[in-house]
Amino acid sequence: MSKETILTGVTTTGAPHLGNYAGAIRPAIAASRRDDVNTFYFLADYHALVKNPSPDAVHQSSLEIAATWLALGLDTDKSVFYRQTDIPEIPELMWILSSVTAKGLMNRAHAYKAAVAANEGGGQNDPDKGITMALFSYPVLMAADILLFNARKVPVGKDQKQHVEMARDIAQRFNHNFRELFVLPEADIDENTAVLTGLDGRKMSKSYNNTIPLFLPEKKFRKLIMKIKTNSLEPGEPKQTKGSTLFDIYRAFANEAEVESMRGKFAEGIGWGDCKQELFEYLNDHLKDARDEYDRLIADPGYVEGVLQKGAERAREIAVPFIAKVRDAVGIRPLANR
Ligand code: TRP
């Protein structure tokens, strides 16, 4: 029995925040240490182009995300860590998969539908106004990412579940039409991993602009934590832990005993200012070493590039022979042996 493959990608827009860490990066790094699975993690920089960010932003974000994963201890000997755009077999497979993907299936993708709905709601008479083919085909590219490496488990947030199901549909269609080449993937949504709230009390997300980046200089980091929204209860008044962003963030990092002790402080009426200071000190201690390493890596992009190149080499050891089988299955092969 070959080992099960776990694979996930990170779109290279923006800098990783506390919510990304608790929800995705930390569990992924934990999985990378397991001996019973293979892990593939990659920078989804083709996916980043969908939102038409500036070239500099795409470039910078790739460095920041790669440096973050490395600084937090990803073991790149065990895990295959690469950049999507270093694997030409991914867009090649995307095209082949496009030929077995129903357009109607893509019409039902949430992200596309939301964009159409926004146009219609905004009184646009062209429902597709501003919608690119990249946005529309996004799920096919994601299917190629997953299917090229025969990943079985795909850890993602709830918003990506539909895309993994589409990848599964596409794989099934290919397997049925041609040859059983693809493993059918499954979204792995861990209900126990923390979904953090952000500065304003909504889910921490780049799209809400309410994030706390992981590796800010200490002063800026403290300033942001001081900005987290609280209610107007005074010091000395007992406070609810439920619905408290401060408590939720603390809980995502602290151990059980620490969480219990913080619960006690809430009941005793800890002042919000003191609570924020305590959260800042706790997180700062927790992240300090990684932040130093992160700063070193950001200052040495050549090193990070080398790590990604090595990862791409390993990924292509799998991708190149596999795409040959896919090509053969659809009839793309030499006319004769010469
Ligand atoms: N679309 C994913 C996101 O925005 C990122 C991604 C790209 C991905 N390709 C993937 C995730 C393949 C899992 C598997 O979060």
Side-chain angles (χ1 to χ4, degrees):
M1 248 305 274
S2 59
K3 286 187 199 176
E4 182 172 273
T5 293
I6 296 177
L7 172 147
T8 198
V10 188
T11 306
T12 54
T13 46
H17 54 71
L18 290 179
N20 297 141
Y21 177 49
I25 306 174
R26 191 173 52 191
I29 290 178
S32 80
R33 306 223 165 94
R34 283 170 55 183
D35 286 320
D36 59 330
V37 292
N38 293 318
T39 52
F40 287 70
Y41 300 131
F42 67 97
L43 306 173
D45 53 346
Y46 278 131
H47 277 104
L49 301 184
V50 167
K51 289 171 196 151
N52 292 122
S54 79
D56 286 343
V58 174
H59 187 243
Q60 181 63 19
S61 172
S62 297
L63 173 61
E64 289 176 358
I65 292 175
T68 298
W69 285 63
L70 297 176
L72 291 168
L74 179 70
D75 180 346
T76 54
D77 290 328
K78 286 188 98 171
S79 188
V80 184
F81 185 55
Y82 55 100
R83 177 170 48 200
Q84 188 184 33
T85 51
D86 286 332
I87 317 294
E89 292 73 25
I90 293 174
E92 179 172 358
L93 180 59
M94 180 196 174
W95 182 256
I96 294 175
L97 295 178
S98 293
S99 72
V100 294
T101 302
K103 175 175 175 289
L105 182 69
M106 296 300 101
N107 286 343
R108 292 194 286 278
H110 299 316
Y112 171 66
K113 273 173 53 177
V116 170
N119 279 336
E120 283 169 343
Q124 258 301 333
N125 44 23
D126 177 5
D128 280 324
K129 170 108 179 155
I131 298 176
T132 61
M133 278 308 294
L135 175 67
F136 188 67
S137 317
Y138 187 108
V140 193
L141 179 57
M142 193 159 150
D145 292 331
I146 297 169
L147 301 181
L148 185 60
F149 297 101
N150 274 318
R152 164 129 201 86
K153 285 259 156 68
V154 184
V156 282
K158 285 199 186 76
D159 60 319
Q160 298 292 318
K161 182 166 183 253
Q162 186 197 30
H163 293 151
V164 181
E165 287 165 357
M166 288 176 158
R168 189 181 174 91
D169 277 2
I170 294 169
Q172 252 161 342
R173 176 80 81 100
F174 184 100
N175 286 352
H176 178 263
N177 287 4
F178 298 104
R179 204 185 297 161
E180 291 271 338
L181 284 182
F182 297 123
V183 165
L184 302 184
E186 237 170 60
D188 184 10
I189 295 170
D190 187 347
E191 300 294 341
N192 295 319
T193 53
V195 177
L196 290 193
T197 41
L199 294 173
D200 58 358
R202 291 187 292 172
K203 178 186 166 198
M204 192 181 291
S205 160
K206 272 176 272 195
S207 35
Y208 293 149
N209 211 0
N210 65 356
T211 66
I212 302 175
L214 256 182
F215 296 132
L216 284 177
E218 200 169 293
K219 267 198 186 146
K220 280 198 182 156
F221 188 57
R222 182 169 181 281
K223 230 180 167 170
L224 265 191
I225 292 190
M226 294 295 155
K227 275 198 192 151
I228 294 173
K229 198 174 147 197
T230 58
N231 58 28
S232 54
L233 291 176
E234 299 287 334
E237 293 186 78
K239 295 172 175 67
Q240 298 264 350
T241 53
K242 197 166 173 255
S244 161
T245 300
L246 291 173
F247 186 79
D248 282 348
I249 296 180
Y250 186 77
R251 185 169 53 182
F253 291 88
N255 67 33
E256 241 171 82
E258 291 163 339
V259 171
E260 278 322 299
S261 144
M262 183 56 88
R263 215 183 274 287
K265 290 180 189 173
F266 268 63
E268 285 161 18
I270 185 174
W272 289 131
D274 292 342
C275 183
K276 287 176 175 180
Q277 179 63 24
E278 213 171 294
L279 178 64
F280 160 69
E281 282 169 16
Y282 190 89
L283 291 178
N284 196 51
D285 275 356
H286 195 88
L287 295 172
K288 210 171 358 184
D289 291 348
R291 182 200 292 139
D292 289 346
E293 177 63 11
Y294 175 81
D295 290 342
R296 264 194 298 279
L297 292 167
I298 292 289
D300 190 0
Y303 172 80
V304 179
E305 180 64 27
V307 171
L308 291 175
Q309 289 302 327
K310 238 183 260 160
E313 233 171 81
R314 288 172 62 204
R316 293 195 71 210
E317 278 168 21
I318 296 164
V320 171
F322 188 64
I323 199 81
K325 286 192 203 167
V326 175
R327 283 170 152 242
D328 182 74
V330 299
I332 296 174
R333 41 180 114 97
L335 300 177
N337 293 323
R338 290 194 303 150

